[in-house]
Amino acid sequence: QEGPGPGGKAPGSRKNTPADKERPSSKQQKEKDTKGKKGKKDPEPEPEPEPESKPEPIVDDDEWVDAEEFTGNPLDFCQNSIVRVPCFIKDTDFTMYVQVDTTVVEAKLSCNPIKDPKAPIVSRPRIPASGRYHLAFLQVPVGKKEVKKITLRNISSNEAADVQMAPFDHAGIFTVVNARRSIQPRDGTHTLTVQFAPQWEGRFEADMVLRCEMGPVTVHLSGQGISPCMMLDPAITELDMQDTYMNEPVEHTLVMRNTSPFELPFKCLLQDLNVANLAGTLPFSVHPQHGVVPPGEAQELVVTFRADHEPVFGVKNMFTEFLRIQVPNQKEDLLVKLVARCWERGMYLVGAVENPALPDPYMVSSSRNFVKRRNKKADNDDNHVSVVINFDDEVECGGKASKTIQIGNVMSGGLTAAGDFAIEALSKEKLDLGWVISTGDGKGLTMAVPAGERKDLVIEFNPPELPSPIALANFGLGEWYEVTTKLTLKGGGQPIKAKETKGSDPQVGPTGLYGNTVVNLTARCFLRGLQD
């Protein structure tokens, strides 16, 4: 260190000036500060300005839109959305739809006012699960409408906000149904009413972009259009009402179940009836015909069949009608085919052809006998009827084909009794051609049929590998082969209101009140021609 200079003063020292005498010492300043604290508090000194630097970006986390909380899965928004664009061709009725796949990304939000005029605005991604700026409609039935409201707030101190809105991507799906108004400053608010009306099933998303002089606000809209779901339990397309006597009703219960999260109305229609009652009434009826099913609940439908005559003997679809259950906005109606049969006598046959006309012109003359209906003989009161059985599949030489029909006995509220049937044996000529007829158990040509049951009758056609020399199969042509036998139906139950005999009460014998039913049974199968 340097020593004191001339006059005993250190280098750089200077004389005390009058201003220095007036300036208090550090000890005096400390005592003065202590006294000042007891009195009025002096304002804190302003900090010295730091070197000028670029301001940090401001991210404003305040919510300017009051939207409902979203509790769904955020990953649902990272998916593809499909838009169908209709394209119309001039002067034609043809409409073509172009499918456009678009990628759905996270919604973004920009908002004002700016706290620092020098700070830039940052558009910060918003995660949908955070509940900010997202309006979820969840599930809405197709064809229905759901309305939600959001509130816009203007926190500017002196500037009104004139809100403008960009059009939606999905026209007509999301709509703002009320008019937009100017929002006054200083926490002025305006409520927007947003409507979601899905026109088809699927998930819909759109950004509602609201713009004003202070910046844009984006609200992500989402919703799912779901179709009403009314289903039958169990799911069936055909209901067989089984067999009954004339004028005796039979009922069956269908169960509908509403699996949608909302109530569904329904309406039942009966259409396409093939045969009406002779009295002009309808053989099928359903109750109730309309109603409302709560969500997750079931509704029973009682279908009733009552006919007053037997139109064609032996056919399965004797009476048919379609039950159509209409549910608003459901993709497809529930359609159930109703099938039932009405018999004059207890013993019956199921499996005959309703229209026995043959496509082969060489067999037209022989087929004329097949269109006969009931023809009662006066001597023994037996009932004679002719039926035709067609094989479902064609057969080739050396092949095998079979057809099964059923013989049944009606279970009635009236007199019931066991019945049986007998088959006439086939000739050796028919057996050599490959025809075989037997009962379902294969034990003979007769079988008992208890009331309310059915038994099988099996007809087989097994043509030899080498047909006869005059057969058309030798020339590569196909032809129909047929066999005719006699089937006798005996006994069985009787209807409640039996036909009374003259002078006495009706007597039910071993063969029933009306006697036996003699069926001239003809089975037909198509044999394909030989191929080189």
Side-chain angles (χ1 to χ4, degrees):
Q1 296 181 353
E2 297 181 358
K9 294 182 182 288
S13 62
R14 61 184 180 85
K15 295 181 179 181
N16 292 334
T17 62
D20 294 332
K21 295 179 180 180
E22 296 177 2
R23 181 182 299 114
S25 63
S26 60
K27 183 177 181 182
Q28 294 174 347
Q29 181 67 31
K30 185 175 182 182
E31 293 176 356
K32 184 178 180 181
D33 295 340
T34 304
K35 293 179 181 180
K37 291 181 180 179
K38 297 179 180 180
K40 185 177 180 181
K41 184 177 181 182
D42 294 334
E44 296 181 2
E46 296 181 359
E48 295 183 359
E50 297 180 359
E52 187 174 349
S53 61
K54 185 177 180 180
E56 294 293 331
I58 293 178
V59 178
D60 201 330
D61 289 335
D62 293 337
E63 292 188 13
W64 310 129
V65 179
D66 297 331
E68 296 185 3
E69 290 290 332
F70 175 70
T71 59
N73 185 2
L75 298 179
D76 291 344
F77 295 89
C78 301
Q79 60 182 2
N80 290 335
S81 179
I82 298 177
V83 181
R84 298 179 70 234
V85 181
C87 300
F88 302 96
I89 300 177
K90 185 178 180 181
D91 298 331
T92 65
D93 295 333
F94 179 77
T95 303
M96 179 177 63
Y97 289 88
V98 178
Q99 179 172 304
V100 181
D101 295 337
T102 60
T103 302
V104 180
V105 296
E106 291 182 344
K108 294 184 177 181
L109 176 68
S110 299
C111 38
N112 260 345
I114 302 174
K115 295 182 178 179
D116 186 353
K118 297 181 180 180
I121 301 175
V122 175
S123 181
R124 177 177 177 178
R126 301 288 181 167
I127 301 176
S130 66
R132 296 177 181 266
Y133 303 101
H134 177 256
L135 187 61
F137 287 87
L138 301 181
Q139 293 181 337
V140 178
V142 174
K144 299 294 184 180
K145 300 177 182 179
E146 184 173 346
V147 174
K148 289 182 179 293
K149 295 182 179 181
I150 58 176
T151 301
L152 301 178
R153 184 187 305 114
N154 183 4
I155 65 171
S156 174
S157 60
N158 55 8
E159 185 178 355
D162 294 327
V163 180
Q164 304 294 328
M165 188 182 70
F168 290 112
D169 296 335
H170 299 286
I173 304 298
F174 294 101
T175 310
V176 176
V177 297
N178 64 331
R180 295 177 297 278
R181 306 294 183 186
S182 178
I183 307 176
Q184 299 302 315
R186 299 180 181 179
D187 289 336
T189 60
H190 176 59
T191 301
L192 290 180
T193 303
V194 184
Q195 175 182 279
F196 175 52
Q199 300 175 4
W200 58 86
E201 187 176 2
R203 186 173 182 83
F204 299 91
E205 298 184 10
D207 287 335
M208 183 174 66
V209 182
L210 304 172
R211 302 181 184 275
C212 63
E213 294 80 359
M214 294 176 290
V217 172
T218 303
V219 181
H220 189 74
L221 306 176
S222 67
Q224 183 178 4
I226 60 175
S227 293
C229 186
M230 186 84 79
M231 58 183 297
L232 292 174
D233 187 16
I236 60 173
T237 57
E238 181 174 324
L239 174 61
D240 195 332
M241 304 286 290
Q242 301 302 324
D243 307 273
T244 184
Y245 284 111
M246 293 188 305
N247 296 315
E248 284 193 17
V250 59
E251 293 183 350
H252 191 90
T253 301
L254 294 176
V255 179
M256 295 189 309
R257 192 171 300 278
N258 178 12
T259 60
S260 304
F262 43 84
E263 65 179 19
L264 289 178
F266 70 91
K267 182 179 180 181
C268 297
L269 300 175
L270 292 172
Q271 52 189 212
D272 299 334
L273 176 66
N274 65 336
V275 180
N277 286 332
L278 298 179
T281 59
L282 298 178
F284 294 99
S285 62
V286 59
H287 179 80
Q289 297 183 351
H290 57 83
V292 177
V293 184
E297 299 294 330
Q299 172 69 49
E300 291 186 350
L301 297 177
V302 179
V303 182
T304 304
F305 170 73
R306 182 171 184 171
D308 60 2
H309 70 292
E310 176 188 306
V312 181
F313 180 81
V315 299
K316 175 184 177 181
N317 299 334
M318 184 180 295
F319 290 88
T320 62
E321 193 168 10
F322 286 91
L323 170 61
R324 183 179 298 275
I325 305 174
Q326 294 180 339
V327 179
N329 302 312
Q330 184 161 304
K331 281 186 175 180
E332 297 180 356
D333 296 337
L334 299 178
L335 193 64
V336 180
K337 182 180 181 181
L338 305 178
V339 179
R341 290 159 299 279
C342 169
W343 306 105
E344 292 182 3
R345 303 190 178 195
M347 294 294 293
Y348 60 89
L349 177 149
V350 175
V353 179
E354 183 174 359
N355 184 11
L358 286 171
D360 190 346
Y362 298 102
M363 301 183 69
V364 171
S365 59
S366 60
S367 67
R368 292 174 183 171
N369 295 327
F370 300 153
V371 299
K372 292 180 180 179
R373 299 296 182 260
R374 293 190 176 277
N375 180 21
K376 296 182 179 180
K377 291 186 178 180
D379 52 356
N380 57 5
D381 201 27
D382 282 350
N383 182 64
H384 288 253
V385 63
S386 297
V387 299
V388 176
I389 306 298
N390 279 345
F391 278 54
D392 298 327
D393 301 322
E394 299 178 355
V395 67
E396 58 185 11
C397 295
K400 295 182 179 181
S402 64
K403 178 72 175 182
T404 300
I405 62 175
Q406 293 183 318
I407 311 299
N409 188 357
V410 178
M411 171 68 75
S412 172
L415 299 175
T416 58
D420 62 81
F421 65 91
I423 311 169
E424 186 179 55
L426 298 179
S427 63
K428 184 178 181 304
E429 178 184 0
K430 296 297 182 181
L431 294 175
D432 293 340
L433 290 176
W435 291 102
V436 178
I437 300 180
S438 62
T439 58
D441 56 5
K443 296 182 179 180
L445 300 179
T446 61
M447 178 177 286
V449 183
E453 296 186 12
R454 289 183 180 181
K455 299 297 181 180
D456 291 340
L457 178 63
V458 182
I459 306 174
E460 299 180 13
F461 182 47
N462 308 318
E465 294 185 1
L466 297 178
S468 63
I470 60 174
L472 295 179
N474 293 312
F475 303 96
L477 302 176
E479 61 179 322
W480 285 93
Y481 277 70
E482 66 179 32
V483 62
T484 301
T485 186
K486 183 179 293 186
L487 172 67
T488 303
L489 307 179
K490 303 178 181 179
Q494 303 299 325
I496 297 178
K497 296 180 180 180
K499 181 180 178 181
E500 297 182 359
T501 58
K502 295 181 179 180
S504 62
D505 295 334
Q507 300 295 325
V508 181
T511 60
L513 180 64
Y514 297 124
N516 301 332
T517 299
V518 180
V519 181
N520 294 321
L521 178 64
T522 299
R524 303 185 309 201
C525 185
F526 189 82
L527 177 65
R528 293 196 294 264
L530 296 175
Q531 303 296 328
D532 296 336

